[in-house]
Amino acid sequence: MAAHVPVAPGYLQMLKQGARYYSGMEEVVHRNIEACKQLSHCLRTSYGPNGLNKLVINHLEKIFVTGDAALILRELVVEHPAAKMLVMATQAQEQEIGDGTNFVLILAGSLLENAEELLKLGLSVSEITEGYKVASKKALELLEDLSCLSLKDIRDVTEVAAATKPSLASKQYGYEDFLATLVAKSCVSAIPKSGEFSAESVRICKIIGASVEDSVMLEGMVFKRETEGTVNSVQDAKVAVYTCAFDSAKPETKGTVLLKSAGEFMDFRKGEEALMESHVRDIAEEGVNVVVVGAKIGDLALHYADKYKLMVVKMTSRNDLRRLCKALGATPLLSLIPPTEDELGSCSKVYLQEVGNTQVVIFKQNQECPMSTILLRGSTDRLLDNIEEAVNDAVSTYNTLIRDPRLVPGAGATEMQLAVKIADFGQSVPGLEQYAIHAYSKSLQSITRALADNSGTQTNPVMSKLYSLHQQGESSAGVSADGEGTDLIDASEAGILDPLLLKHWGIKLASEAAITVLGVDQIIIGKKSGGPKPRGENPNWDVPHDAIDN
Ligand SMILES: Nc1ncnc2c1ncn2[C@@H]1O[C@H](COP(=O)(O)OP(=O)(O)OP(=O)(O)O)[C@@H](O)[C@H]1O
């Protein structure tokens, strides 16, 4: 008989064997803060135009060399429950704004770091969280008055380029002017009269070779693939999109045909061929000259497509198929029937072209098109990946500015101005909360400090100079990224502006995340159940592996 293993009395006896339980200041609060601090310190060096890259090798052994916080956090798969809360805050920022993830992480990490000091001084968690809540509310109020410019015309390429430039400069310093114009043209061309725009409206196609300055934008869509048949170019295309196979229909159940002679076999084949031909002929007679297929393409069907001069393009990703339908105004068809007039998509020109040894199919629209594509060129895969991240951030910035066109000074100026005002406000608050409010002001400065640290200036003198300038009312004084001559710049004059909404959500989410982490006093980790791990959510479940990287 197996000996009875006594379970330690206390909390653990209630839980399944193997569960872990931590409580108290040292074990929980300080540990959580430590984990969050580590994560925030790790990404702090990637903040701003002079931020450094990280080399991340993910669980599939894919290598990333990037400074994009959202991508790094996605690939790192953070396990610590408290650090995960910060990651969730950054994900919320990514979903809401599409940029500013590092801002959230640095601010939340710094709020926790400063809270730790206050805890050591003897303040209670509730006093700190209360102070943080008051300070964050005040910061959001003050932020509303810091707007220095508004994007007046969302269809003006020059204005849009100026507004999206800082988000590109913080990732691709040096290429920002060229890329900003490219992104602005793509965004403006993809915004319909109704003003409905989503970050998905601008697609990126990366092709290795040539230089970044050879990148171009196209109204319409570009896919890295070849056409299937012999027709390679069609002007004034009428496009039918099929999600089913472009092949002879297969019965759902197995059937057996008994053929008694060679003649019957020939007739059977002829019947099949005639049926296929009639399908393709019917499609062609509706005026269709391009067929896009999301599944298998049969040889016989392809033969008749060539005969009736139909261009055939295969599309492996359902996402691409959906976007193409949007770009052409087509309705995807579930079976091989001729499309009606409404279901047909139209395109000014569809053609196959070789770009740097890569065959691409281009769907080019001359009229208004809700999709545009940036054909990115560059010497290495890593460079292209990094530019893609920067371009995505810039497109998200445009999307944010459509919702709220107000801009605030960047380069750490807004954070510094808020820090000065919050510190002043703290003086007027009675009780121990004012220490927490002061800590909040210090945390806001950590954003400006990160920019200064990363640009290689002498941080302490620069920070004190900036602080006194902001006290004197120079609300747009920020940190220079050039490192040539001056350490400080006027962010508004230099055109370094960030969307107000980005800062708004960043402050809100970082404060909430820090307050949540501070409010945890016990950690209970249940024993992991055996058996295979449940499958995680995969947003690209229907995209083949090679298509994800395109
Ligand atoms: N030329 C510049 N000089 C100084 N600061 C700049 C310049 N261009 C951009 N910045 C600043 O860089 C900061 C943004 O940096 P970054 O894009 O690395 O952060 P993030 O958007 O929070 O992170 P991520 O893009 O990784 O989510 C902003 O404060 C912006 O004002």
Side-chain angles (χ1 to χ4, degrees):
M1 202 179 86
H4 170 70
V5 182
V7 182
Y11 207 96
L12 281 178
Q13 68 183 348
M14 301 196 300
L15 306 172
K16 201 171 165 186
Q17 239 183 18
R20 282 171 293 157
Y21 169 73
Y22 306 96
S23 73
M25 222 41 178
E26 270 310 314
E27 266 199 323
V28 176
V29 182
H30 288 290
R31 267 195 196 203
N32 283 351
I33 292 177
E34 191 53 39
C36 296
K37 250 166 60 181
Q38 297 286 343
L39 186 64
S40 158
H41 282 188
C42 162
L43 283 161
R44 194 174 182 273
T45 50
S46 295
Y47 190 64
N50 295 313
L52 301 176
N53 283 339
K54 312 266 173 256
L55 195 151
V56 181
I57 304 172
N58 74 359
H59 63 290
L60 297 170
E61 293 185 15
K62 186 170 176 180
I63 298 174
F64 297 87
V65 183
T66 176
D68 188 66
L71 178 67
I72 298 170
L73 289 173
R74 203 164 47 235
E75 297 304 331
L76 278 185
V77 194
V78 175
E79 278 276 329
H80 191 282
K84 243 182 179 172
M85 282 192 222
L86 293 205
V87 175
M88 274 149 73
T90 62
Q91 284 168 347
Q93 171 82 359
E94 183 71 6
Q95 267 179 10
E96 195 60 44
I97 303 293
D99 194 13
T101 34
N102 216 350
F103 174 85
V104 174
L105 196 65
I106 298 172
L107 182 56
S110 177
L111 283 170
L112 289 169
E113 197 169 348
N114 290 323
E116 193 180 27
E117 277 173 27
L118 294 180
L119 286 170
K120 283 183 189 155
L121 285 177
L123 261 77
S124 68
V125 169
S126 60
E127 280 157 350
I128 300 171
T129 50
E130 203 44 50
Y132 277 3
K133 276 182 197 161
V134 174
S136 79
K137 198 167 161 234
K138 187 75 189 166
L140 293 178
E141 269 171 38
L142 291 168
L143 186 67
E144 298 292 309
D145 301 328
L146 295 185
S147 159
C148 60
L149 195 81
S150 258
L151 182 67
K152 285 187 199 76
D153 185 1
I154 53 167
R155 292 168 208 278
D156 184 309
V157 173
T158 326
E159 237 190 291
V160 173
T164 51
K165 200 166 98 175
S167 58
L168 288 158
S170 61
K171 295 280 174 322
Q172 286 302 321
Y173 197 48
Y175 289 124
E176 71 270 24
D177 285 309
F178 171 75
L179 289 175
T181 314
L182 202 64
V183 170
K185 279 187 193 161
S186 312
C187 292
V188 170
S189 97
I191 185 162
K193 285 200 184 82
S194 61
E196 250 177 63
F197 181 86
S198 79
E200 269 207 347
S201 308
V202 177
R203 195 179 173 273
I204 294 163
C205 181
K206 298 175 282 181
I207 296 181
I208 210 157
S211 74
V212 177
E213 278 95 353
D214 293 316
S215 306
V216 288
M217 68 84 39
L218 275 135
E219 288 100 351
M221 299 197 74
V222 181
F223 299 100
K224 273 206 279 190
R225 47 186 341 107
E226 292 184 34
T227 50
E228 299 296 320
T230 51
V231 185
N232 289 332
S233 173
V234 173
Q235 202 82 33
D236 294 323
K238 292 275 171 233
V239 188
V241 180
Y242 291 100
T243 53
C244 60
F246 189 55
D247 201 359
S248 4
K250 298 260 180 319
E252 279 182 15
T253 51
K254 263 192 183 176
T256 311
V257 182
L258 192 61
L259 301 170
K260 292 194 182 116
S261 65
E264 275 184 15
F265 178 66
M266 293 303 284
D267 289 346
F268 181 76
R269 280 211 52 189
K270 270 190 195 141
E272 207 179 358
E273 282 171 13
L275 188 67
M276 192 67 243
E277 182 171 11
S278 77
H279 279 319
V280 179
R281 195 192 318 110
D282 290 349
I283 293 170
E285 277 172 2
E286 284 303 317
V288 175
N289 44 20
V290 178
V291 175
V292 178
V293 185
K296 191 183 157 223
I297 296 174
D299 289 343
L300 196 59
L302 200 57
H303 163 77
Y304 288 116
D306 283 344
K307 182 175 170 189
Y308 290 98
K309 301 270 176 291
L310 295 182
M311 180 175 181
V312 183
V313 183
K314 187 174 174 178
M315 206 70 68
T316 44
S317 153
R318 278 195 217 175
N319 265 339
D320 282 346
L321 209 62
R322 187 171 45 81
R323 290 181 192 180
L324 185 68
C325 286
K326 192 176 161 197
L328 308 180
T331 307
L333 298 165
L334 304 175
S335 60
L336 212 56
I337 46 163
T340 60
E341 191 62 35
D342 291 346
E343 289 164 342
L344 265 182
S346 61
C347 185
S348 307
K349 190 174 180 190
V350 185
Y351 57 104
L352 182 72
Q353 192 179 325
E354 190 172 301
V355 181
N357 285 342
T358 308
Q359 299 283 352
V360 290
V361 178
I362 302 176
F363 290 80
K364 187 166 174 13
Q365 289 285 37
N366 290 337
Q367 68 262 33
E368 189 187 89
C369 176
M371 298 291 299
S372 66
T373 304
I374 297 179
L375 202 67
L376 275 186
R377 306 301 312 276
S379 49
T380 62
D381 276 333
R382 306 273 166 270
L383 178 66
L384 286 175
D385 289 345
N386 286 347
I387 297 178
E388 183 184 22
E389 293 298 336
V391 168
N392 282 337
D393 283 358
V395 175
S396 300
T397 302
Y398 179 70
N399 202 10
T400 308
L401 288 170
I402 292 174
R403 285 156 60 195
D404 185 344
R406 288 175 297 166
L407 291 151
V408 290
T414 298
E415 292 81 358
M416 194 48 127
Q417 181 65 13
L418 285 175
V420 169
K421 291 201 166 163
I422 294 278
D424 286 349
F425 165 70
Q427 307 281 344
S428 63
V429 177
L432 289 173
E433 274 170 25
Q434 72 165 268
Y435 287 97
I437 296 175
H438 191 74
Y440 196 95
S441 152
K442 232 170 112 187
S443 306
L444 282 167
Q445 287 178 46
S446 69
I447 300 283
T448 318
R449 188 174 280 275
L451 281 175
D453 278 345
N454 294 346
S455 52
T457 53
Q458 287 195 316
T459 311
N460 286 339
V462 167
M463 287 298 285
S464 53
K465 238 191 279 178
L466 256 183
Y467 199 88
S468 70
L469 279 176
H470 277 266
Q471 274 181 324
Q472 291 157 26
E474 299 260 351
S475 61
S476 57
V479 181
S480 167
D482 286 349
E484 291 165 9
T486 70
D487 296 330
L488 303 178
I489 40 158
D490 187 308
S492 306
E493 263 176 33
I496 306 168
L497 304 169
D498 293 330
L500 188 144
L501 213 55
L502 182 148
K503 302 284 175 199
H504 179 95
W505 277 97
I507 292 174
K508 206 173 148 116
L509 290 167
S511 311
E512 279 170 8
I515 291 169
T516 316
V517 172
L518 281 175
V520 174
D521 74 330
Q522 294 184 346
I523 301 178
I524 307 148
I525 306 174
K527 190 179 178 240
K528 273 190 187 165
S529 57
K533 264 189 155 189
R535 264 177 184 237
E537 217 179 285
N538 174 11
N540 296 313
W541 60 273
D542 65 331
V543 184
H545 203 73
D546 58 337
I548 296 174
D549 297 335
N550 289 346

